[in-house]
DNA sequence: CTGAAAGCGCTTACAG
DNA sequence: CTGAAAGCGCTTACAG
């Protein structure tokens, strides 16, 4: 590896001047700057990020934390899409992404410890279960951070407008003539799960549809199996709903499967709405009516918030709520003229 | 931040001894080791990875490179699954993952430059287009690396047994009575694309089915749209195939859509086989008959190969070919008793 | 079993 | 505009 010393020796300047020239400081003459930059290039010089981070107390590195309750990690289609967009955005500012887990070497540590060990300048947290004490510690720590799809005033947050989303879904179903509308809920210890249950209830109120306990079934942590079983419970009811709003696309897909397995058809017998608009939503049969979360905007906003926090430590925390969109496809049907 | 100096001062030992105690060296008395470890813990001490990496010339960091030709990055369901398993494996050895792109700060650099800048101990390369000169440079560099789904003797490789996979697919289709079997190929500049075209042709030979030019259509870079259009070309043929083997699940899904849009049915009119067994393959309608690549094993093997290479620089490169499995679902149908 | 010292490759006051 | 020196927080010969 060629170091700053090698460049200094070759050009005859001191390492101080070389460093300043390479970092494009103003107080170096244009002429010597040119010489140094050219020589460095020829020699294939590269700064050593460790040495740089050590002196500057800044690593241009951001930690990504997936809380692994579901065990899917970066396989999760919604989160991985957000992270991909987040990554593209922060790269523009020179930041690289590093995954933070709960181990250092073989020893189990906390996320914070690991983040400090790796010297990240900030972290982005994506997970469903924010009650995890480790996550709480992380969010409340002074380390700049941004969390997705949750609300807290302890750090920066960005999330989709779940309330409006639920309203869009319910408006849509109601306009198609549905009143027996059930909800497959995401786990009650997740922010999104709770928010959407809320939104569902508010919409019922809006249309003066009485709320029925049996019409909310727990689908667990947004899994296919959870959706499948939840739907089976709805199908076993005396009064089977004509429409089901699932708190996530994967759960919706599980629900569709349950309906098919029961010998029924979507949307002829039951209309289904999902949430997320993952890549596959448009490719399944029937294609899924769902809420599109704007992953690109979420990733971009999260990046901007985090970088801004890093650069202005004293800044207040921000909460950004992003608009959503209802995507109508084949899984919902008008039943006003039916029977 | 509390440093080794703070721990030294508090315990009265030198930083040398503190360092050795904390790293569990044998030449420290049990007693002082205990005191130092305990004090360090109480003080919330953590090693600084930059200082450590700087002196040790080892970062316990691995670079992940997604070559972004398709622009999907970590959204790709197959690659993200492999990386997730790779990550879990390397974490056991104390390695963290960092994403490597082609920028440092704002300047466009090569992957290698970036990898050196970040001081990674090794890299894992996942991409489809290995002709990219940047990728070639990377693979041929002395930096320990492992690449997925490609063959080269310049570095470590791990890939699925494409030849056997194709045989399984064709055996299956042939046993169901199909002889008019077409292939939707992955881009010809990808290793997997080429390998599977080969396997397809070999299997035709095996069954003495004459090869028809028109029965191989290019599906591009394994995309849904590519599969859709390729299938449309097949449907326009005078003699429409009764079965189609697509080089990837996403392409297969595009093909299924094209068939539906043409008013035909899978598998009644055309049987479809995919490749990968991504999460969704079993959830679409009809569920997809496909080749399961063992992502867990691929990730794990890649991790072991890379870590082994890092620890034994002189070791020869390895090529590991992993077994595959045919998963028969609803998208293929027996036509022996048909018509 | 323990410690003083050098060195890893940078950046940044400070001095001129 | 340029350079000598200190310091970031570690590890590792070397010496005792």
């Amino acid at each position: 590896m060629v170091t700053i010393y090698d460049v200094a020796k070759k050009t005859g300047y001191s390492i101080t001047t070389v460093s300043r020239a390479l970092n494009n400081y103003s107080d170096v003459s244009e002429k010597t700057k040119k010489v140094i930059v050219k020589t460095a290039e020829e020699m294939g010089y590269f700064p050593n990020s460790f040495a740089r981070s050590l002196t500057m107390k800044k690593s241009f590195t951001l930690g990504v934390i997936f809380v692994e309750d579901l065990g899917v990690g970066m396989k999760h289609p919604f989160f991985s899409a957000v992270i991909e967009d987040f990554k593209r955005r922060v790269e523009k500012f020179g930041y690289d992404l590093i995954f933070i887990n709960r181990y250092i070497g073989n020893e189990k540590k906390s996320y914070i410890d690991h983040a400090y060990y790796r010297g990240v300048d900030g972290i982005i947290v994506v997970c469903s279960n924010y009650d995890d004490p480790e996550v709480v510690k992380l969010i409340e720590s002074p380390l700049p951070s941004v969390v997705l799809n949750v609300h807290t005033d302890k750090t920066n947050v960005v999330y989709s407008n779940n309330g409006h989303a639920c309203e869009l879904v319910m408006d849509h179903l109601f306009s198609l003539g549905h009143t027996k509308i059930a909800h497959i809920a995401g786990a009650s210890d997740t922010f999104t799960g709770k928010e959407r249950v809320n939104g569902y209830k508010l919409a019922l109120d809006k249309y003066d549809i009485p709320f029925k306990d049996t019409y909310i079934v727990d689908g667990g942590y947004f899994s296919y199996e959870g959706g499948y079983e939840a739907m089976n419970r709805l199908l076993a009811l005396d009064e089977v709903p004509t429409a089901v709003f699932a708190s996530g696309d994967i759960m919706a897909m599980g629900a569709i499967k349950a309906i098919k397995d029961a010998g029924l058809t979507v949307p002829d017998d039951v209309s289904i709405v999902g949430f997320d608009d993952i890549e596959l939503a448009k490719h399944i049969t029937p294609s899924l009516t769902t809420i599109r979360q704007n992953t690109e905007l979420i990733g971009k906003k999260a990046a901007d918030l985090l970088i801004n926090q890093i650069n202005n430590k004293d800044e207040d925390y921000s909460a950004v709520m992003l608009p959503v969109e209802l995507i109508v496809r084949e899984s919902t049907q008008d039943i006003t003229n039916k029977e």
Side-chain angles (χ1 to χ4, degrees), chain A residues 179 200 204-205 207-212 215:
Chain A
T179 54
Y200 163 75
L204 289 182
D205 269 3
Y207 289 111
D208 275 330
I209 303 175
F211 166 67
K212 294 171 67 170
Y215 271 15

Side-chain angles (χ1 to χ4, degrees), chain A residues 65 119 139 186 189 195 231 253 272 293-294 297 310:
Chain A
I65 296 180
I139 289 174
D189 61 350
E195 281 253 300
M231 190 66 223
M253 289 168 60
I272 296 280
Q293 297 201 67
N294 192 330
L297 203 53
I310 289 169

Side-chain angles (χ1 to χ4, degrees), chain A residues 10 35-45:
Chain A
K10 190 118 178 192
V35 173
I36 289 173
V37 169
K38 185 158 166 288
T39 311
E41 192 136 331
E42 285 169 4
M43 299 178 76
Y45 167 79

